[in-house]
């Protein structure tokens, strides 16, 4: 499967996603972003369960900064994007956004750490995964 540097995953808003005010509950955006990151990795051939049971490695969220710009509401059709900004041997920085009709509702910067699935200690990615991810890096920062 060929994927673009900016990956996008669709999301529909259901009753369970909304709060008493009829808008999407703020924590649900984190779940939408997790699903999009998972599908982005799967599209590259790196499903989470295969990584965990195969190489014994997982990615965990180290830090996340969110900016809530506009609310989403029941039945909205949204797109959640994933864009790899920085790829290091044992960490990633990912820019994400939840969009409605191309307009950002929530933006985020997510720092992920590569860790061993058994001990959760930092662990460098293997050369193949690193090379696969590195080609999608959009912001080449000084290391």
């Amino acid at each position: 499967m060929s994927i673009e540097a900016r990956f996008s995953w669709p999301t529909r808003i259901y009753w369970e996603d909304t709060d008493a005010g009829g808008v999407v509950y703020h924590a649900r955006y984190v779940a939408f972003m997790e699903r999009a990151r998972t599908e982005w990795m799967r599209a590259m051939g790196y499903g989470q369960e295969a990584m965990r049971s195969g190489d014994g490695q997982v990615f965990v969220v180290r830090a996340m900064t969110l900016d809530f710009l506009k609310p989403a509401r029941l039945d909205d059709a949204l797109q959640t994007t994933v864009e790899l900004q920085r790829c290091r041997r044992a960490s990633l920085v990912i820019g994400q956004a939840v969009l409605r009709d191309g307009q950002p509702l929530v933006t985020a910067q997510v720092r992920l750490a590569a860790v061993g699935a058994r001990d959760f200690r930092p662990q460098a990615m293997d050369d193949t995964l690193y090379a696969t991810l590195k080609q999608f890096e959009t912001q080449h920062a000084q290391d």
Side-chain angles (χ1 to χ4, degrees):
M1 170 184 273
S2 173
I3 66 171
E4 302 292 321
R6 185 177 192 199
F7 181 81
S8 184
W9 189 253
T11 301
R12 173 75 65 183
I13 302 303
Y14 299 96
W15 280 114
E16 66 192 32
D17 299 316
T18 62
D19 63 14
V23 299
V24 172
Y25 180 65
H26 70 279
R28 297 298 295 153
Y29 293 106
V30 174
F32 302 157
M33 290 178 189
E34 171 68 26
R35 290 176 189 171
R37 288 192 312 273
T38 297
E39 295 304 331
W40 172 66
M41 291 293 295
R42 187 188 321 275
M44 286 185 284
Y46 291 93
Q48 289 189 33
E49 177 56 21
M51 286 182 62
R52 186 189 66 79
S53 61
D55 292 335
Q57 188 171 62
V58 295
F59 286 104
V60 296
V61 173
R62 171 75 173 83
M64 181 180 276
T65 304
L66 296 131
D67 193 6
F68 298 94
L69 306 171
K70 296 179 182 179
R73 300 182 190 288
L74 179 66
D75 212 33
D76 280 352
L78 308 177
Q79 293 290 322
T80 303
T81 63
V82 178
E83 190 168 4
L84 180 59
Q85 295 175 339
R86 192 171 343 147
C87 179
R88 294 189 176 156
R89 276 302 202 173
S91 66
L92 305 173
V93 176
I94 295 176
Q96 291 198 259
V98 178
L99 311 169
R100 180 180 53 227
D101 298 324
Q103 298 299 310
L105 305 179
V106 177
T107 59
Q109 185 174 68
V110 184
R111 286 187 352 187
L112 301 174
V115 300
R118 288 180 201 83
D119 60 10
F120 282 82
R121 295 184 133 185
Q123 182 182 86
M125 292 175 254
D126 70 41
D127 292 340
T128 304
L129 175 57
Y130 180 72
T132 299
L133 290 170
K134 195 73 174 170
Q135 70 182 327
F136 293 104
E137 186 178 44
T138 59
Q139 175 183 319
H140 299 283
Q142 299 281 334
D143 287 327

